[in-house]
Amino acid sequence: MRVRPVRPNIYLPVVRFGVADSDWFSVLLISCAGYLVPVPLGLTVFYVPLQMWTWLLATAGSIAFFNYIRIGRRPCWLNQKLKSLFLHHRQYRAIPNGKKGAFNRSWLIDRQTDDTSFGRNRSPAASGAQTISLLEQNDRFQEDCAERWHTLLLMSR
C-alpha cells in the first residue's frame, strides 16, 4: 500500500458556531455578565425578566464578535489592531524607507566603554563620532529613498 501524506489536524482549534475553543471562556464570561448585571434591577420585558433578554443578546453578540474577528482575518489580527490604537508607532520597528524622524539616542552616541565591551580598543570619543556619522549617513539614505519613491509615485499618475 502506498504511503500518502497526511496533514495533521490535531493542532487546529476546535470550532463550534464559528468560535474557537480557546474563545469560549470569554463567551461564557460575557454571557454571565449579561445575565448578572440586570438582576438587582428586577425589571421585566413582556413578562420575562430582563436578565433573560440581556443574557441572550450578550451571548449572540459575543459569538458574532468572535466570528467577526476570526473569519477572513489573519491570526492575532485583533491584538495588532488594539496595539496600533493604544501604542505609539515609534515603539515598533521602522518600516524600510519610512518617514521616521531623526535617530537621536544618547545611550548609543554617548556610550561608556569598559574593558569587557566589544569596542575596548577604541576611545569613547572615536566610537561616538563614528556612530554619529553612521546615523547621519542613514538619515541621508532614508531621505534619498523617500524622494525617489515620491518621484516614482508622481510619474506613475
Side-chain angles (χ1 to χ4, degrees):
M1 197 166 176
R2 193 170 78 180
V3 177
R4 299 185 185 275
V6 176
R7 180 174 177 234
N9 290 330
I10 60 172
Y11 300 110
L12 296 177
V14 176
V15 177
R16 308 233 187 239
F17 300 112
V19 179
D21 58 348
S22 60
D23 296 331
W24 274 104
F25 183 70
S26 301
V27 172
L28 180 68
L29 285 179
I30 293 168
S31 299
C32 288
Y35 182 81
L36 294 176
V37 167
V39 167
L41 301 176
L43 299 175
T44 60
V45 177
F46 299 119
Y47 302 107
V48 176
L50 182 64
Q51 60 262 27
M52 298 303 282
W53 294 104
T54 56
W55 166 79
L56 187 63
L57 290 174
T59 304
S62 61
I63 289 173
F65 172 75
F66 283 111
N67 276 321
Y68 172 74
I69 65 169
R70 183 183 165 274
I71 296 175
R73 300 212 168 33
R74 292 183 179 191
C76 299
W77 172 82
L78 181 63
N79 294 343
Q80 294 168 357
K81 284 293 183 184
L82 292 176
K83 278 184 184 177
S84 69
L85 286 175
F86 294 116
L87 298 177
H88 196 264
H89 70 279
R90 289 185 186 250
Q91 292 178 348
Y92 297 108
R93 285 186 60 197
I95 297 172
N97 301 331
K99 301 232 183 232
K100 215 172 176 185
F103 187 80
N104 294 323
R105 301 276 196 259
S106 60
W107 58 273
L108 275 177
I109 297 170
D110 299 327
R111 183 173 61 105
Q112 297 293 326
T113 58
D114 55 358
D115 291 336
T116 60
S117 67
F118 177 72
R120 62 178 174 253
N121 296 333
R122 291 183 293 193
S123 68
S127 176
Q130 186 178 18
T131 304
I132 290 172
S133 66
L134 283 172
L135 292 174
E136 289 173 355
Q137 167 93 19
N138 185 32
D139 287 341
R140 278 186 258 129
F141 177 76
Q142 294 287 336
E143 289 170 3
D144 290 341
C145 289
E147 288 177 18
R148 289 182 192 149
W149 181 253
H150 183 67
T151 54
L152 283 173
L153 285 176
L154 289 176
M155 289 172 46
S156 66
R157 289 183 182 175

